[in-house]
Amino acid sequence: MSFLTLRGVTASYGASQALFGIDLDIAEGEVVALMGRNGMGKTTTVKAICRMLPAGGTITFDGKDLTRLPSHAAARLGIGLVPEGRRCFRDLTVWENLIAAHRPGAWDWQAVTRLFPRLAERRDQRAATLSGGEQQMLAVGRALMTNPRLLILDEATEGLAPLIRAEIWDAIARLKADTAMSILVIDKSLKELRQVADCAVLVARGRTVWTGAMADLDAETSAAHVGV
Ligand code: ATP
């Protein structure tokens, strides 16, 4: 059964319409890849889901109509976002960043640092002084600390060194194997997405143009809409 459902979702930045009809389903425990070329509407779709932008159409999460809720209410329902650009509180330490995000549940300091031991090593370091990869781990850790039922990763491996990218992909694979969390992942690495995602949703010019099992995504379709 679908846990998150988008039907005909539209959204605009002022007078400029960015989404014209996004359809997307995520079942509980499923990993879905949201793909498309630059500027096609992936981040805007995430903003619509997280209520950071008013949206038309329907968005339901666990049976509730999200379009009527403010963003803080959406987060409270259990949507954890790792935003593009890995935003953390730069002047807070790793520990403070994580504790500030915490909501009750299985994900706590111990669980997050088990997934990313490097964060424990950097416990008292200010986020601003971390490497890009460590900041990304912290951003994922912060989202996990909210104990989400749906985790959204927007370009979590963008601009990172290969070894760090591999660590992030490994963490996503472990979340998939060890938890019942649903995951929506936006990334440009088709090879890694193929290994971790169950389904794919391809968008072009603000519309869903292809949906299906990751295994059914053929080279022609991905070349047309993802550019790989
Ligand atoms: P990328 O991979 O480059 O992040 P994307 O698929 O996430 O691309 P979006 O960021 O959702 O694409 O952008 C969709 C459209 O909305 C684009 O035409 C973009 O120029 C426009 N857009 C995005 N952010 C804004 C904004 N803050 N104000 C106005 N237009 C915007």
Side-chain angles (χ1 to χ4, degrees), residues 13 18 37-44 84 155 188:
Y13 295 95
R37 293 178 192 273
N38 289 346
M40 290 299 165
K42 304 179 297 296
T43 297
T44 308
E84 200 175 19
E155 306 269 14
K188 297 199 170 62

Side-chain angles (χ1 to χ4, degrees), residues 48-61 63-74 77:
I49 295 169
C50 296
R51 314 302 309 129
M52 294 153 75
L53 204 61
T58 57
I59 307 178
T60 56
F61 177 64
K64 294 177 190 71
D65 179 359
L66 273 189
T67 52
R68 305 196 182 286
L69 298 178
S71 63
H72 61 87
L77 282 179

